[in-house]
Amino acid sequence: MACMNCETDGGGCGSGCSCSSSLPLKATGAASCLCIKCKDGVPAITVGNQTEPMCASCLYVSLLSKFKTAVNNHGLITPSDNVLVAVSGGPASRVAVEMLKEIRSKAQSDADASKDGTMKVFRLGVVYVDEATVLRLPESEAEAAVNSIKEMYDGIPVHTVELDCVYGTDGLPSDEDGDSASSKLKLTKLFESVKDMTGKEDMLELLRMQAIQTVAQISGYTKVVLALTATRIAAKVIAATTKGQGYSLPAFIQYLDGRWPIPVVLPLRDCVARELALHCHIAKLTTIFVRGLTTMADPRSSLNNLAHHFITLLQEENPSREHTIVRTAAKLTSFSFNAEVVPPSRRRRNPRNHDKGGGKSELSPEFLCSICRAPLQSSDMSPQTETTVGNGRDSSGNYADMKSTCCPSCLFQIFPEDGVQAEEKYLLFPDSTRKASTSTFSQRQKWMRSQIQDYLLPEETSGLFEYQLLFLTTMKLLLNLHTTSIYPWISRQLLNDVY
Amino acid sequence: MKLTLEFGGGLELLFGSVKIHKVDVPPPEGETKITVKHLLFWIRNNLLKERPEMFLKEKSVRPGVLVLINDCDWELCGMTEAVLEEKDSVVFISTLHGG
């Protein structure tokens, strides 16, 4: 290829180019085609950070520094951590692992050089979740993907796990063939029962996370790294808004997400997909592409897909849109489980981090949706139906418990059924999800009880409690008022009536 | 004109799951130069197996597809107007799928 305006061969307008800056460049600056970071006139290969022409090595330095800043400023990874990176074979997770390897080897050489040898270095492993059952991929394709992943991450522990391990008992993946076949069948049925494509995608994401958590717990990891880029987070923000998840949105766009047994961190939050893909190509990092649920489908096939297309369209108009969306959404108050553990050395420099995330947790404990683990707004918690309140409930829980502890978005997309169908679907969910719903349900009962404790009748007449609760929830619905403010008032009225 | 084309990030699915294509592209009638715009038309007419809307949008590639000419971002080379030469490599990477 030659420069358009002059006859110099090679990388665009290289150092020998004498053309004027009449190229239709998006980049600013008249010298245009030279890397603006290197001082020695290296030809630029791309436009990084939205407007800066950069050479390949400066692009990597810029990506690495964003990654390191995220890790250090937010205390995402400490030397004592055992880090598990969730990989998909795509460029983002590939680069994340490469960067962590580099940071680790630097830390290792520092540790080796230290005199007392007490310096610790974090450990690293990767996990790949094989979703072939759900995606209906031919076995050969799934096997090839697993093999390439193992090849790609040669030298560090690679865990590959099939998605149906979420059905394993007590967090252990089922090994026996019979078990595995039945859990695969369950998984297929569960996905068939979810009609909505957006619901299917969300469900896949949740089960994938459960599988990753299972591996992390069994193998003793202390942090899970997700390679979510700014591009994907921006798309998630838009998608979540359209799904009506405005309340829970701040929970999953922070650097740290502690809703899971093993905390999840997002160190690539400041990097865009485009730059990562470019770096992978230039640095000859192999990536694989595994078909997803909506691959080759119409953009309108799911909300998530549509949001992603929308973001790339915006990006085309203005390259900083992704960052703008992520930064704007990050202004929303996050939850207590997003609070970062800032290392003491950084504390004074980031005074804001102290109170970050405390805001919403003071009034009530955080109750999470039993399917997607989105924080529930108190007004979203649907009242218990008569069957759950009136009749004696066994400790194993039932579908009504689950439905009453679901966020509206999951109720709409994943679990809209009622009656017998709902009962059947409830049994298809993994044990962990069902357990979560039972425990959320009983915790919430306990919390509600504690809120009205002062106004309750003495022990011997406590059989009335269930009826009180039913009465209160009905009243709450009628008045549509905030739970915490209305409960004491109603209880008092109720007591007046009783006496 | 002999060119090497490479498709990645899922775009290969549109080209029979083959990533690298070595092709011989004739220049448009009455001209000797080949621009990227011409190459895109040529790909659509000769190479693309299905769903042209997943690759092209109007006269350019669809948003979210990264184009590299000899490992240089096409935004620095004049986008669709960039002139190609013998044995150039052109890479198309979709960033629409996550990582």
Side-chain angles (χ1 to χ4, degrees):
Chain A
M1 183 201 63
C3 167
M4 277 176 59
N5 298 7
C6 61
E7 296 304 312
T8 322
D9 282 347
C13 310
S15 39
C17 176
S18 57
C19 66
S20 61
S21 57
S22 61
L23 294 179
L25 278 178
K26 279 192 174 179
T28 52
S32 55
C33 298
L34 296 181
C35 172
I36 61 157
K37 301 227 169 181
C38 300
K39 298 281 181 260
D40 43 2
V42 182
I45 59 129
T46 188
V47 184
N49 292 338
Q50 293 106 51
T51 52
E52 305 165 351
M54 274 189 199
C55 66
S57 53
C58 290
L59 174 73
Y60 180 63
V61 170
S62 137
L63 286 173
L64 186 64
S65 75
K66 281 189 234 176
F67 187 89
K68 277 185 178 166
T69 310
V71 168
N72 295 335
N73 281 3
H74 302 275
L76 301 186
I77 294 168
T78 59
S80 55
D81 271 330
N82 200 358
V83 180
L84 182 67
V85 189
V87 298
S88 64
S93 48
R94 184 75 216 258
V95 177
V97 173
E98 290 304 312
M99 286 178 174
L100 284 169
K101 266 176 155 174
E102 185 168 332
I103 295 172
R104 189 182 56 163
S105 72
K106 175 102 188 357
Q108 188 67 54
S109 59
D110 286 354
D112 291 345
S114 74
K115 281 172 194 154
D116 48 2
T118 49
M119 260 177 84
K120 278 181 132 182
V121 179
F122 66 88
R123 284 176 299 156
L124 191 61
V126 302
V127 59
Y128 173 74
V129 183
D130 178 4
E131 296 153 6
T133 317
V134 175
L135 302 175
R136 298 170 185 283
L137 296 181
E139 214 163 277
S140 58
E141 209 174 316
E143 212 168 284
V146 170
N147 287 337
S148 348
I149 292 281
K150 282 181 181 159
E151 222 167 86
M152 247 188 237
Y153 299 109
D154 196 26
I156 43 176
V158 180
H159 306 266
T160 56
V161 65
E162 288 188 41
L163 190 63
D164 52 276
C165 77
V166 292
Y167 286 104
T169 42
D170 301 328
L172 286 170
S174 49
D175 289 328
E176 290 163 39
D177 282 349
D179 267 14
S180 144
S182 84
S183 57
K184 276 197 175 116
L185 190 70
K186 255 187 173 174
L187 192 63
T188 319
K189 272 192 173 165
L190 180 61
F191 274 87
E192 272 170 10
S193 73
V194 179
K195 298 285 179 278
D196 183 76
M197 186 45 96
T198 312
K200 270 190 217 267
E201 277 187 326
D202 290 354
M203 182 97 134
L204 181 60
E205 197 182 323
L206 301 164
L207 292 183
R208 187 190 300 137
M209 180 49 103
Q210 284 187 11
I212 294 168
Q213 288 288 333
T214 311
V215 172
Q217 279 173 293
I218 293 173
S219 313
Y221 287 94
T222 55
K223 286 276 162 65
V224 170
V225 170
L226 282 195
L228 283 183
T229 54
T231 315
R232 295 241 288 171
I233 296 174
K236 269 186 112 161
V237 168
I238 302 290
T241 315
T242 55
K243 288 177 204 165
Q245 293 175 331
Y247 179 78
S248 61
L249 193 154
F252 52 78
I253 57 169
Q254 308 300 327
Y255 288 100
L256 185 99
D257 181 353
R259 277 175 291 172
W260 304 91
I262 311 292
V264 175
V265 295
L266 314 179
L268 279 181
R269 207 184 84 156
D270 301 318
C271 303
V272 294
R274 184 190 160 78
E275 289 171 11
L276 295 168
L278 191 69
H279 171 68
C280 268
H281 178 79
I282 304 285
K284 304 260 180 296
L285 297 172
T286 49
T287 54
I288 56 163
F289 175 79
V290 182
R291 260 179 265 206
L293 281 170
T294 48
T295 304
M296 302 281 279
D298 186 85
R300 282 163 294 179
S301 56
S302 83
L303 282 178
N304 304 321
N305 209 0
L306 192 60
H308 212 116
H309 279 85
F310 176 63
I311 294 291
T312 47
L313 206 65
L314 288 182
Q315 180 77 358
E316 206 76 356
E317 277 178 9
N318 179 346
S320 52
R321 288 272 160 82
E322 293 160 346
H323 288 300
T324 313
I325 294 174
V326 174
R327 283 192 200 129
T328 309
K331 299 267 185 268
L332 296 166
T333 316
S334 57
F335 296 86
S336 54
F337 49 72
N338 294 124
E340 293 147 6
V341 188
V342 181
S345 56
R346 296 256 168 195
R347 250 175 220 166
R348 269 178 53 200
R349 267 183 270 169
N350 298 316
R352 273 193 322 133
N353 286 342
H354 274 299
D355 46 337
K356 213 179 173 184
K360 284 181 184 171
S361 64
E362 280 160 22
L363 279 174
S364 64
E366 235 85 76
F367 293 115
L368 304 178
C369 165
S370 47
I371 297 181
C372 73
R373 309 198 55 80
L376 295 171
Q377 210 171 352
S378 47
S379 61
D380 282 348
M381 294 194 236
S382 49
Q384 295 77 51
T385 53
E386 209 167 334
T387 48
T388 51
V389 174
N391 306 336
R393 299 179 322 100
D394 54 27
S395 56
S396 62
N398 62 23
Y399 76 87
D401 285 5
M402 192 165 193
K403 286 190 78 133
S404 74
T405 52
C406 267
C407 65
S409 159
C410 284
L411 268 185
F412 181 71
Q413 280 164 5
I414 298 180
F415 205 7
E417 291 90 351
D418 249 321
V420 184
Q421 273 181 318
E423 187 72 58
E424 275 170 14
K425 193 172 204 165
Y426 173 71
L427 295 174
L428 290 175
F429 280 100
D431 281 345
S432 48
T433 309
R434 280 184 284 169
K435 265 185 205 152
S437 80
T438 322
S439 81
T440 310
F441 184 83
S442 58
Q443 270 172 23
R444 199 184 55 189
Q445 295 280 75
K446 217 183 256 171
W447 176 75
M448 280 179 167
R449 203 184 174 114
S450 74
Q451 292 294 298
I452 54 170
Q453 194 65 50
D454 297 345
Y455 311 101
L456 282 182
L457 297 174
E459 268 300 306
E460 51 267 29
T461 46
S462 66
L464 276 173
F465 169 67
E466 301 289 356
Y467 291 101
Q468 279 180 358
L469 206 59
L470 182 65
F471 177 74
L472 293 180
T473 42
T474 328
M475 286 295 282
K476 186 190 122 197
L477 265 189
L478 284 174
L479 295 164
N480 198 13
L481 282 171
H482 195 276
T483 335
T484 43
S485 57
I486 192 69
Y487 266 78
W489 180 81
I490 301 181
S491 316
R492 204 180 299 249
Q493 296 302 314
L494 188 71
L495 284 178
N496 287 341
D497 286 350
V498 171
Y499 292 116
Chain B
M1 185 180 290
K2 289 194 170 53
L3 298 170
T4 310
L5 308 179
E6 192 180 331
F7 301 94
L11 278 179
E12 64 267 29
L13 293 179
L14 300 171
F15 299 90
S17 295
V18 179
K19 279 198 165 183
I20 295 173
H21 296 254
K22 293 205 182 291
V23 294
D24 196 350
V25 185
E29 275 177 46
E31 281 182 52
T32 48
K33 283 181 181 172
I34 292 184
T35 58
V36 175
K37 194 197 259 170
H38 175 68
L39 176 69
L40 291 176
F41 286 135
W42 186 87
I43 291 175
R44 190 188 62 191
N45 296 334
N46 297 282
L47 217 53
L48 202 57
K49 295 266 190 318
E50 51 185 322
R51 313 287 300 276
E53 78 279 7
M54 307 287 281
F55 181 60
L56 296 171
K57 194 187 172 203
E58 285 156 23
K59 287 181 179 169
S60 186
V61 293
R62 121 195 220 198
V65 176
L66 187 63
V67 185
L68 301 174
I69 305 168
N70 292 336
D71 284 351
C72 178
D73 197 331
W74 77 332
E75 288 185 9
L76 291 173
C77 310
M79 314 274 282
T80 51
E81 299 304 326
V83 179
L84 298 169
E85 293 202 341
E86 192 72 26
K87 289 183 183 162
D88 272 351
S89 88
V90 185
V91 182
F92 300 90
I93 305 170
S94 168
T95 57
L96 274 170
H97 281 275

